[in-house]
Amino acid sequence: MKKLKRSARLVEMTQYLLNRPHTLISLTAFADRYQSAKSSISEDLAIIKEVFEDEGIGELHTHAGAAGGVKYTPKIRHDAAISIIQSVCRQLEQPERVLPGGYLFMTDMLGQPELLSELGRMFATAFANREIDVIMTVETKGIPLAYATAACLNLPVVIVRRDNKVTEGSAVSINYVSGSNKRIQTMSLARRTLREHSRVLIIDDFMKAGGTIQGMMDLLGEFNAKVAGVGVFVESGELGTEERLLEDYISLAKVTAVDLKTKQTTVVPGNFFQ
């Protein structure tokens, strides 16, 4: 790479870090990349660190030692996150979103790249200090959300299928009970997709009783994998605690009431904000 002026180097270095979250980058690598002294690189990183933290973009951690360097961790400030979720709650309360069974239409929202990016940052903030190897979701509307979270954590995504795909080779399949309607359903995961003993973060778009997520947790047991955390975009708060199959999870929004006759819905920020 050609030698850049400091202003250009700061811009390029910032972009380089943003594209490589949770990746340790040595000062030597930066010095070689920009043909600059390590002392100059350290000064640049101090500027970027201050801006990241002041503007709520994330944190820049310095690791000392021969194998040290810097690592960018995406974060979102509480005030910025609550502002976004309050807007999300207002949209979810629109009467035309109410579907039979008390579900809410969210497909359009989960197709907005800017919103997905912010939701991914919220999950990345919530699970930043967990040891995670992979993000898991089921083949449904939660796939974009899982990828948005994975982009912030710099992790791969595995997708649990409703039916085994021939193109994915041998798979492990289990039956599970859907928590909301008590139906027996099937999910499967290709054996080559997930290594044994992996630490897995489960991401889903909507949770009512938690049957689908519990099914994924049971499936992970077949791989001797560990659940590192569970994140859901919207949870239903209409069920009693005795009906909820999960206790340990992070939600970004919570439906507290749905009137199917009047189509009046109440949505509040989830437990991430508690």
Side-chain angles (χ1 to χ4, degrees), residues 148-169:
T149 305
C152 290
L153 293 173
N154 197 19
L155 293 171
V157 175
V158 299
I159 299 173
V160 176
R161 304 293 183 185
R162 302 289 187 182
D163 297 298
N164 186 25
K165 303 293 184 182
V166 175
T167 55
E168 295 188 345

Side-chain angles (χ1 to χ4, degrees), residues 147-219:
Y147 274 101
T149 305
C152 290
L153 293 173
N154 197 19
L155 293 171
V157 175
V158 299
I159 299 173
V160 176
R161 304 293 183 185
R162 302 289 187 182
D163 297 298
N164 186 25
K165 303 293 184 182
V166 175
T167 55
E168 295 188 345
S170 63
V172 176
S173 299
I174 66 165
N175 294 326
Y176 70 100
V177 180
S178 175
S180 56
N181 54 30
K182 307 301 182 183
R183 288 189 305 166
I184 301 295
Q185 301 189 57
T186 302
M187 62 172 60
S188 66
L189 184 64
R191 292 185 181 276
R192 293 179 175 86
T193 302
L194 185 67
R195 293 182 178 178
E196 285 202 349
H197 308 294
S198 294
R199 294 160 297 198
V200 181
L201 171 61
I202 296 175
I203 296 293
D204 207 359
D205 62 310
F206 187 85
M207 181 179 73
K208 201 163 190 179
T212 300
I213 294 176
Q214 184 61 55
M216 284 191 276
M217 295 171 72
D218 293 341
L219 182 59

Side-chain angles (χ1 to χ4, degrees), residues 36-210:
S36 300
K38 289 185 179 179
S39 57
S40 298
I41 296 298
S42 295
E43 292 174 0
D44 293 347
L45 290 171
I47 295 172
I48 295 172
K49 174 183 173 66
E50 182 179 358
V51 173
F52 276 11
E53 294 179 355
D54 287 350
E55 299 302 319
I57 297 172
E59 299 173 352
L60 201 61
H61 301 280
T62 301
H63 299 260
V70 294
K71 181 186 294 184
Y72 163 58
T73 303
K75 292 285 184 71
I76 187 169
R77 284 199 311 237
H78 182 271
D79 58 340
I82 194 67
S83 176
I84 292 167
I85 287 299
Q86 285 174 342
S87 174
V88 166
C89 291
R90 288 193 294 270
Q91 293 182 62
L92 290 174
E93 289 177 336
Q94 295 169 346
E96 59 269 23
R97 291 189 178 276
V98 178
L99 302 173
Y103 294 96
L104 297 179
F105 178 75
M106 302 185 299
T107 304
D108 59 332
M109 298 178 69
L110 292 175
Q112 300 174 21
E114 184 176 354
L115 175 60
L116 282 170
S117 177
E118 298 295 0
L119 298 178
R121 287 177 64 201
M122 291 181 203
F123 282 133
T125 300
F127 299 107
N129 298 322
R130 309 269 183 108
E131 289 190 33
I132 304 169
D133 298 313
V134 65
I135 309 290
M136 172 184 277
T137 192
V138 70
E139 55 174 351
T140 182
K141 299 183 294 297
I143 292 177
L145 187 57
Y147 274 101
T149 305
C152 290
L153 293 173
N154 197 19
L155 293 171
V157 175
V158 299
I159 299 173
V160 176
R161 304 293 183 185
R162 302 289 187 182
D163 297 298
N164 186 25
K165 303 293 184 182
V166 175
T167 55
E168 295 188 345
S170 63
V172 176
S173 299
I174 66 165
N175 294 326
Y176 70 100
V177 180
S178 175
S180 56
N181 54 30
K182 307 301 182 183
R183 288 189 305 166
I184 301 295
Q185 301 189 57
T186 302
M187 62 172 60
S188 66
L189 184 64
R191 292 185 181 276
R192 293 179 175 86
T193 302
L194 185 67
R195 293 182 178 178
E196 285 202 349
H197 308 294
S198 294
R199 294 160 297 198
V200 181
L201 171 61
I202 296 175
I203 296 293
D204 207 359
D205 62 310
F206 187 85
M207 181 179 73
K208 201 163 190 179

